[in-house]
Amino acid sequence: MVDRNHAQKWMSALALGFVIGACGVAVFALPPRPPQEASAVTYSTNDLGMEFVMVPSGEFQMGCSEGAKPNECSKDEKPRHRVQITKAFEIGKTEVTQKQWQAVMGSTPSASKGENLPVEKVTFENVQEFLNKLNARNDGFLYRLPTEAEWEYAARAGTTDQYAGSLHDMAWYNDGQAAARGSGAFQNENSPGGLLLPEPHPVATKMPNAWGIYDMRGNVAEWVQDFYDPNYYSNSPAADPKGPASGDGHVVRGGSFRVYPWLTRVSLRTVFPEAYEFYDLGFRVAREKR
């Protein structure tokens, strides 16, 4: 069974956010670029207009961030441990958009509509179907979800702090002001009691991280490939960990526009069943040459 207490902790924090919103490898071949210089990053693009950035091989400390207080990390974010990413890979510049999803799947399941909004309300199973169809195009690449380790490595981009850079400048999260602004909020079947709820934002409208990747924290939360095990960090391999061999749920990373800022910390781990969907849950794609 999925760790229901863990999932309940996530959902309780989200529900509270509703109310406030309504009312040994070398470490990197080159030093990380500061975010303001990320415009110099070279992106590769497939025939659907999906842009990717190359993430170099290297190593990092995965899990509870340096300097974090004991109460600022959950047990499943510990122990902090060294992880090696032995092979470079490409990862999506942004979360998969509704335009990209529509081009592959023919329709969009999203609650908030907009071509440049991230696709949401997708289950893990939906994502696998999307990837299968994307791979059937045979464009020379294998498309997949990133592993949990790849995701955190790309999100950190050489940083060691809890938010991998400026939270305000780089992440969309619930600041409690959407309803007051009269924008960035919507009402749909998910709205309890007709409350206006915050909604996702167009991708790449805040600053990228040091490697030119946008919205790794906030906007929509992101499925990754790994099954979830709260104790996995105690015995995971140092090189290219891929998660446990089985489980009843998959890891979700990054926090979302619905949650308080501390739930967007880069080490936060969440788990949901494969059939789970919600209007703040999407994904981004990794790829490698076949």
Side-chain angles (χ1 to χ4, degrees), residues 21-22 112 177-187 195-201:
S112 299
Q177 298 300 312
R181 286 193 300 266
S183 61
F186 75 111
Q187 183 175 348
L195 292 175
L196 285 177
L197 302 179
E199 65 180 354
H201 299 263

Side-chain angles (χ1 to χ4, degrees), residues 234-253:
S234 296
N235 54 29
S236 63
D240 304 315
K242 292 179 170 57
S246 62
D248 291 329
H250 287 270
V251 178
V252 170
R253 286 300 206 111

Side-chain angles (χ1 to χ4, degrees), residues 6-264:
H6 187 87
Q8 185 175 13
K9 172 186 70 176
W10 169 267
M11 294 306 293
S12 296
L14 296 182
L16 185 58
F18 285 160
V19 175
I20 292 196
C23 327
V25 176
V27 181
F28 316 123
L30 294 173
R33 293 177 294 271
Q36 61 267 28
E37 296 179 14
S39 59
V41 174
T42 299
Y43 299 101
S44 56
T45 307
N46 67 10
D47 61 350
L48 295 175
M50 299 174 69
E51 294 183 276
F52 295 85
V53 61
M54 182 64 72
V55 175
S57 60
E59 67 178 36
F60 73 112
Q61 292 292 323
M62 185 173 182
C64 190
S65 299
E66 294 180 9
K69 299 175 183 177
N71 64 348
E72 291 176 330
C73 288
S74 299
K75 290 182 179 179
D76 64 357
E77 297 169 53
K78 303 173 184 177
R80 182 166 64 246
H81 57 291
R82 187 183 68 155
V83 169
Q84 301 168 348
I85 303 297
T86 64
K87 186 174 68 173
F89 64 97
E90 289 186 280
I91 196 166
K93 172 184 174 180
T94 71
E95 295 151 338
V96 173
T97 65
Q98 293 180 36
K99 180 179 180 180
Q100 294 162 356
W101 180 275
Q102 177 106 18
V104 175
M105 305 296 285
S107 61
T108 177
S110 300
S112 299
K113 305 299 183 184
E115 286 190 347
N116 205 38
L117 293 176
V119 70
E120 21 87 1
K121 292 193 70 176
V122 289
T123 67
F124 185 88
E125 297 156 332
N126 296 151
V127 172
Q128 297 306 309
E129 183 181 359
F130 173 89
L131 293 169
N132 288 339
K133 290 188 176 183
L134 195 56
N135 283 318
R137 300 169 70 91
N138 293 318
D139 66 357
F141 290 91
L142 174 66
Y143 294 88
R144 57 179 177 81
L145 284 174
T147 66
E148 186 175 16
E150 288 172 338
W151 187 96
E152 187 170 324
Y153 178 60
R156 286 191 179 278
T159 63
T160 60
D161 66 284
Q162 291 193 76
Y163 299 104
S166 170
L167 180 64
H168 177 269
D169 292 337
M170 297 167 62
W172 290 112
Y173 54 88
N174 186 353
D175 61 4
Q177 298 300 312
R181 286 193 300 266
S183 61
F186 75 111
Q187 183 175 348
N188 68 3
E189 68 272 14
N190 297 295
S191 302
L195 292 175
L196 285 177
L197 302 179
E199 65 180 354
H201 299 263
V203 299
T205 49
K206 285 211 170 187
M207 291 175 63
N209 72 11
W211 289 347
I213 312 169
Y214 291 82
D215 298 324
M216 288 296 283
R217 291 164 301 108
N219 217 1
V220 293
E222 301 178 16
W223 288 109
V224 296
Q225 186 62 41
D226 300 35
F227 285 109
Y228 174 77
D229 177 352
N231 301 310
Y232 183 67
Y233 285 5
S234 296
N235 54 29
S236 63
D240 304 315
K242 292 179 170 57
S246 62
D248 291 329
H250 287 270
V251 178
V252 170
R253 286 300 206 111
S256 82
F257 62 89
R258 298 174 58 225
V259 303
Y260 284 135
W262 60 84
L263 292 174
T264 70

